[in-house]
Amino acid sequence: MDWSEYYPKFAVPGEESGNVSNKNHPSRREAEENARQVEVADIGCGFGGLLVALAPKLPNTLLLGLEIRTQVTQFVQDRIRALRSQQHASDGLYENIACIRANTMKFLPNFFKKAQLTKIFLCFPDPHFKARKHKARIVSVSLNSEYAYVLRPDGIVYTITDVQDLHEWIVAHFDLHPSFEKLSTEEQDSDECVQVMSSETEEGKKVERNKGHKYIACFRRLPDPPWP
């Protein structure tokens, strides 16, 4: 996917007009191969708090928020444009974050290549409490296989929720998947991204105000076993 529209400061310069618009043209293919690729995905990014907080901590990494709600997506896009404008004259901060409207439960592999991502964040997803709605949860056997597809080996899926039942569901489903292993408590506590995820999202701040509990679990993408 061509990300230059969303991250113009990271676009590869020098694309020629004309035949370059043809996706099969050698110049177009070379440009796409050389272009910086998104490496971090915040699925269900909400109002963009995590993206904004991670931007200065991962300045050379492209981060993408994916949000299904149209108005929320527009809010995050406007927020990013405003932040870029404020920083335009100085250090170009927030040029590495973007947001698009997407239903990742249906189309995640349409946006990312195999083993493209290093991090996936699933922050305070909809718990879908009723049993008949559990199939709509953002973690499932089939969706975990899609996360495994787009994550490179040693990539991490970060999850956080304030609902214990959902947390136990998440852990159980990732534990059952052969492509993932749960991070130890020590690894989790030493990861700066976990600290940011816990404190900088809008939902996370709301849970703190209400003195609620946050359940965190992170899972490492294991290398694929060799072919027999």
Side-chain angles (χ1 to χ4, degrees):
M1 183 166 174
D2 182 6
W3 296 108
S4 58
E5 175 185 353
Y6 301 96
Y7 309 95
K9 296 295 184 182
F10 289 87
V12 176
E15 271 197 33
E16 301 175 359
S17 59
N19 287 335
V20 176
S21 62
N22 183 342
K23 66 180 180 180
N24 293 319
H25 191 277
S27 298
R28 176 63 179 269
R29 292 200 302 269
E30 182 180 356
E32 290 181 351
E33 289 172 359
N34 293 333
R36 188 77 63 89
Q37 295 295 311
V38 171
E39 294 184 41
V40 177
D42 182 9
I43 297 177
C45 67
F47 294 96
L50 181 64
L51 292 173
V52 172
L54 286 177
K57 297 184 180 300
L58 303 171
N60 296 313
T61 301
L62 300 189
L63 301 89
L64 181 69
L66 301 108
E67 173 60 47
I68 196 169
R69 295 168 292 179
T70 302
Q71 290 184 323
V72 176
T73 302
Q74 186 63 55
F75 172 87
V76 179
Q77 291 173 343
D78 292 342
R79 180 181 185 183
I80 292 171
R81 278 193 289 268
L83 289 168
R84 288 176 177 177
S85 177
Q86 294 169 10
Q87 294 290 332
H88 181 70
S90 55
D91 52 13
L93 195 61
Y94 306 113
E95 296 290 347
N96 62 327
I97 58 175
C99 176
I100 61 174
R101 182 179 181 273
N103 185 339
T104 54
M105 293 184 70
K106 293 183 178 180
F107 304 117
L108 184 66
N110 291 9
F111 296 103
F112 308 114
K113 299 181 294 187
K114 179 177 174 62
Q116 177 177 331
L117 301 180
T118 60
K119 304 177 191 295
I120 293 175
F121 290 89
L122 306 173
C123 300
F124 300 98
D126 191 329
H128 292 292
F129 289 107
K130 295 182 179 180
R132 62 183 176 84
K133 295 289 289 181
H134 284 180
K135 61 184 179 181
R137 285 179 167 176
I138 198 66
V139 170
S140 66
V141 174
S142 58
L143 287 172
N144 287 359
S145 293
E146 294 192 1
Y147 301 146
Y149 176 82
V150 298
L151 267 179
R152 66 187 62 170
D154 292 324
I156 305 294
V157 177
Y158 298 80
T159 74
I160 182 171
T161 177
D162 59 335
V163 178
Q164 184 175 1
D165 173 70
L166 179 59
H167 171 72
E168 293 172 353
W169 168 282
I170 290 171
V171 172
H173 281 74
F174 273 106
D175 282 347
L176 287 172
H177 201 286
S179 294
F180 291 99
E181 68 175 3
K182 192 173 184 293
L183 265 61
S184 67
T185 302
E186 292 75 16
E187 289 176 302
Q188 196 168 281
D189 291 344
S190 64
D191 191 324
E192 184 180 28
C193 290
V194 172
Q195 301 168 20
V196 174
M197 175 180 71
S198 179
S199 61
E200 296 297 334
T201 64
E202 287 77 11
E203 280 294 323
K205 293 175 181 178
K206 179 181 176 181
V207 172
E208 285 185 7
R209 290 195 300 270
N210 294 334
K211 302 187 184 305
H213 189 83
K214 300 172 188 175
Y215 301 92
I216 298 172
C218 302
F219 307 88
R220 180 185 293 109
R221 171 66 159 94
L222 299 173
D224 292 328
W227 287 92

